[in-house]
Amino acid sequence: MPLPKTKRLKPRKRRYKFESNDDIFNGSTIRHIIKFIREIHSEGKEIHFILNCKRIADKLAYITFECLCYYLIVECKHEIQITWSPSCEIWSDGITLSALRYLTKSAAENNYELFLKRFLFDIYDKHFRRIIKADSETSRASVIYQDLNSFLKGLNLEKDFIEDASEVVVELLNNSIEHAQSDCLIDVDVSQPYQLSVGDVVCGGKEYFSINIVVLNFSDKLLGDDLKERINTEEHHIERYLEVTTVWNKHIKFFNNKYKENHFWMLASMQNKVSGQISKGQSGGTGSAVLIKSLQKQSFEDKCYVLSGKYILFYIKELLGEEEDYWWGFNDENDFVDNSPSERVLNQCNIYFPGTAYNLCFIAERKIYDEKNQTKI
Amino acid sequence: MMKKIKLRFDNTLTRLAGFQLGQKIYKEQVSSNWDGSELAIQFPERIEKVATSFVQGFFSDLVNEIGYDRIRNDIKIEASSDKLVSEIWDRLY
């Protein structure tokens, strides 16, 4: 009797499942995802993320998740499936245009080519994404400045807003490449219109939109590290850096559970005419705060912060102060020198972010034009 | 007599950004061509905007060598508009 024919089957990939019931997809969720990923010790697996969140905390939260998925696909050769349906909110509206949308079918059916393509470069509808290599030509920042400005001009935004938004992104990019000396990810999206509501009640007829910006790099160097090293190792003749040393000596006594040394160096590195780079001598320190404050003044509401390592600094408009003495106060006293920063600007993150990430979100009133007479309403 | 240097950039650039680019342009196009007398630096007409990082990079060697006051006294900037000239000076400080 002949033996039955057999067919050699392709070995099935081991499947891993991660499920979260967090209401909000935020740093805590990402911390659990990272812990889960660390338990997978080999390559080429299938991973199913089931995220039962109702909403996403902000843009940086889903961009960080995108970066994790990129790492899992490219470095670890995994196949990914994401099951989630968070609601769209004004701070995280860009999720609909995120590359993550290509990972929501089964792990075998997902379009990884498109995910990778859109992760690295996108300019579609109201979404702008670039990855800039640290070793790019010196003119690269200028090209990004132009490209982003052109992109925003096509979206019917206020001219001053467009100028300030494109400049703040390119200056943060410049800082990333120069200080962190690492690749930089830029992501900008402009949301669909939203109406203001209290509970389920819509207030008034005005519409609002948001422009949401993330600029991040992954690096061993955190924000403020260069400046700290410069202050601690260099003999200073430059007045500005002597002043920073004086401020440091005053602030040591303010450090507590909320205000950490890392916060000080982050704050100091944001001040005008302060740079961590010895090559910059007396110049340098473009002062991201002045650009962000300009955008805040043009906005109805904003949510702006920088995360580096575990430390978060919020840019709170009324606490930034004025730059009369070229110091940004970050406190009610408008005084960086003799007073500690307000506790409202200080926070720590659930995860350690290996680098620096800016999350800048601005809500502005949408101008509506009457098509017959081109009048702003 | 005031010396004039017309800066040259890639023809596709209408906006300038980056400390390193600013330093490079100064070193390659100004530093070796200037004897320390009065100087006019002309940006091409097509340049619409100049970011702070570029301005600070461009003037970084000069700031260290001669200081802000002498720069302001001895150097004139020419650009596509008075507004841009004013912005460039504002960004230096």
Side-chain angles (χ1 to χ4, degrees):
Chain A
M1 186 173 178
L3 289 170
K5 286 184 181 176
T6 56
K7 188 177 174 182
R8 188 181 178 90
L9 293 172
K10 201 172 167 184
R12 191 175 171 170
K13 284 188 180 185
R14 177 152 177 207
R15 303 183 88 227
Y16 289 81
K17 185 172 88 171
F18 172 90
E19 185 161 5
S20 164
N21 292 315
D22 291 346
D23 264 358
I24 304 173
F25 182 90
N26 57 14
S28 176
T29 322
I30 292 173
R31 182 164 60 95
H32 290 123
I33 289 174
I34 291 172
K35 190 180 170 197
F36 165 78
I37 289 169
R38 285 193 177 134
E39 291 166 5
I40 304 173
H41 297 296
S42 48
E43 294 184 348
K45 307 300 176 196
E46 286 185 9
I47 303 177
H48 187 182
F49 291 104
I50 301 172
L51 305 166
N52 299 313
C53 57
K54 294 192 176 81
R55 61 186 183 92
I56 299 171
D58 56 30
K59 188 173 177 73
L60 182 56
Y62 75 78
I63 296 284
T64 304
F65 186 42
E66 260 191 51
C67 293
L68 284 171
C69 289
Y70 179 84
Y71 164 77
L72 289 170
I73 292 167
V74 173
E75 300 295 326
C76 305
K77 314 282 189 267
H78 294 318
E79 291 181 339
I80 307 288
Q81 177 184 358
I82 301 171
T83 300
W84 68 350
S85 51
S87 60
C88 273
E89 296 189 336
I90 200 165
W91 299 124
S92 58
D93 190 83
I95 185 63
T96 57
L97 297 171
S98 156
L100 291 171
R101 70 192 188 275
Y102 299 111
L103 301 178
T104 53
K105 293 184 181 175
S106 74
E109 291 174 322
N110 280 328
N111 194 331
Y112 296 105
E113 193 181 328
L114 261 181
F115 169 80
L116 294 176
K117 194 174 167 183
R118 295 283 178 248
F119 179 89
L120 295 171
F121 180 103
D122 198 15
I123 182 161
Y124 172 71
D125 194 9
K126 296 179 182 180
H127 181 224
F128 181 97
R129 158 67 66 88
R130 293 287 188 278
I131 304 280
I132 295 91
K133 293 285 187 188
D135 58 1
S136 298
E137 294 177 6
T138 50
S139 59
R140 190 84 176 102
S142 302
V143 173
I144 298 293
Y145 193 10
Q146 281 169 204
D147 286 354
L148 180 57
N149 194 264
S150 298
F151 164 76
L152 291 173
K153 272 182 181 164
L155 297 176
N156 202 23
L157 304 174
E158 289 285 351
K159 188 180 171 200
D160 287 345
F161 200 94
I162 291 172
E163 289 300 334
D164 287 346
S166 16
E167 187 169 357
V168 77
V169 169
V170 86
E171 295 298 47
L172 294 178
L173 160 65
N174 181 65
N175 286 348
S176 175
I177 290 174
E178 289 195 354
H179 291 277
Q181 293 171 331
S182 68
D183 299 352
C184 181
L185 180 152
I186 291 173
D187 196 291
V188 180
D189 74 87
V190 178
S191 77
Q192 59 181 318
Y194 285 80
Q195 286 186 309
L196 192 62
S197 64
V198 177
D200 293 330
V201 178
V202 173
C203 307
K206 290 183 182 176
E207 290 188 332
Y208 298 86
F209 72 95
S210 69
I211 176 167
N212 303 309
I213 299 167
V214 158
V215 179
L216 67 81
N217 68 70
F218 293 105
S219 169
D220 291 336
K221 281 189 188 179
L222 301 184
L223 180 64
D225 278 357
D226 267 356
L227 177 62
K228 179 180 177 182
E229 190 180 336
R230 187 176 184 182
I231 295 287
N232 287 337
T233 57
E234 193 184 320
E235 283 199 23
H236 294 287
H237 309 289
I238 300 168
E239 188 182 340
R240 197 72 172 156
Y241 294 91
L242 290 170
E243 288 175 315
V244 171
T245 306
T246 303
V247 176
W248 157 253
N249 287 323
K250 289 183 182 184
H251 276 233
I252 287 176
K253 65 179 187 293
F254 295 143
F255 295 153
N256 55 30
N257 284 338
K258 262 297 233 172
Y259 182 31
K260 299 295 186 186
E261 180 185 348
N262 284 67
H263 284 125
F264 172 82
W265 293 112
M266 290 167 76
L267 286 164
S269 66
M270 292 178 190
Q271 304 291 339
N272 289 333
K273 293 289 168 285
V274 174
S275 168
Q277 282 192 283
I278 293 171
S279 62
K280 288 190 175 181
Q282 294 184 59
S283 62
T286 52
S288 55
V290 65
L291 295 165
I292 291 168
K293 184 161 184 180
S294 175
L295 285 163
Q296 288 174 321
K297 283 182 179 174
Q298 299 172 64
S299 303
F300 170 74
E301 197 175 324
D302 67 89
K303 179 179 178 183
C304 298
Y305 64 87
V306 57
L307 162 65
S308 195
K310 287 182 58 172
Y311 303 96
I312 297 173
L313 279 180
F314 287 99
Y315 291 89
I316 298 177
K317 183 170 62 180
E318 60 269 21
L319 297 179
L320 280 176
E322 298 299 330
E323 54 170 327
E324 282 143 358
D325 298 316
Y326 291 101
W327 293 117
W328 295 97
F330 288 88
N331 50 32
D332 291 307
E333 296 86 358
N334 186 21
D335 178 6
F336 173 64
V337 175
D338 292 310
N339 286 276
S340 64
S342 165
E343 288 199 349
R344 288 168 57 200
V345 310
L346 307 171
N347 209 339
Q348 292 188 47
C349 188
N350 279 318
I351 59 166
Y352 178 89
F353 189 93
T356 301
Y358 291 86
N359 182 94
L360 309 174
C361 298
F362 305 95
I363 296 176
E365 189 183 330
R366 183 165 169 257
K367 306 290 185 189
I368 302 170
Y369 291 87
D370 182 322
E371 286 185 5
K372 288 182 184 174
N373 61 20
Q374 301 292 308
T375 308
K376 287 186 198 180
I377 298 171
Chain B
M1 189 173 157
M2 185 178 274
K3 185 178 174 68
K4 182 183 270 194
I5 295 177
K6 295 182 185 178
L7 299 179
R8 300 181 310 278
F9 301 95
D10 189 297
N11 284 336
T12 60
L13 292 184
T14 57
R15 285 165 180 261
L16 303 173
F19 192 95
Q20 288 174 349
L21 179 64
Q23 272 189 321
K24 182 184 172 199
I25 296 297
Y26 172 78
K27 283 183 163 69
E28 289 177 356
Q29 297 185 30
V30 178
S31 176
S32 53
N33 294 322
W34 183 37
D35 58 6
S37 58
E38 285 187 328
L39 174 66
I41 295 171
Q42 188 182 56
F43 286 80
E45 275 291 308
R46 70 178 183 281
I47 299 297
E48 300 168 356
K49 279 283 183 181
V50 183
T52 305
S53 53
F54 179 92
V55 173
Q56 294 193 349
F58 184 84
F59 285 106
S60 61
D61 281 357
L62 276 177
V63 167
N64 290 331
E65 287 165 19
I66 66 174
Y68 291 104
D69 289 342
R70 259 200 71 189
I71 292 172
R72 204 63 179 94
N73 285 336
D74 294 355
I75 295 177
K76 182 183 172 193
I77 292 177
E78 296 176 4
S80 57
S81 68
D82 290 340
K83 186 181 174 201
L84 180 55
V85 171
S86 177
E87 283 176 356
I88 290 170
W89 284 122
D90 285 345
R91 278 157 164 77
L92 175 58
Y93 297 100

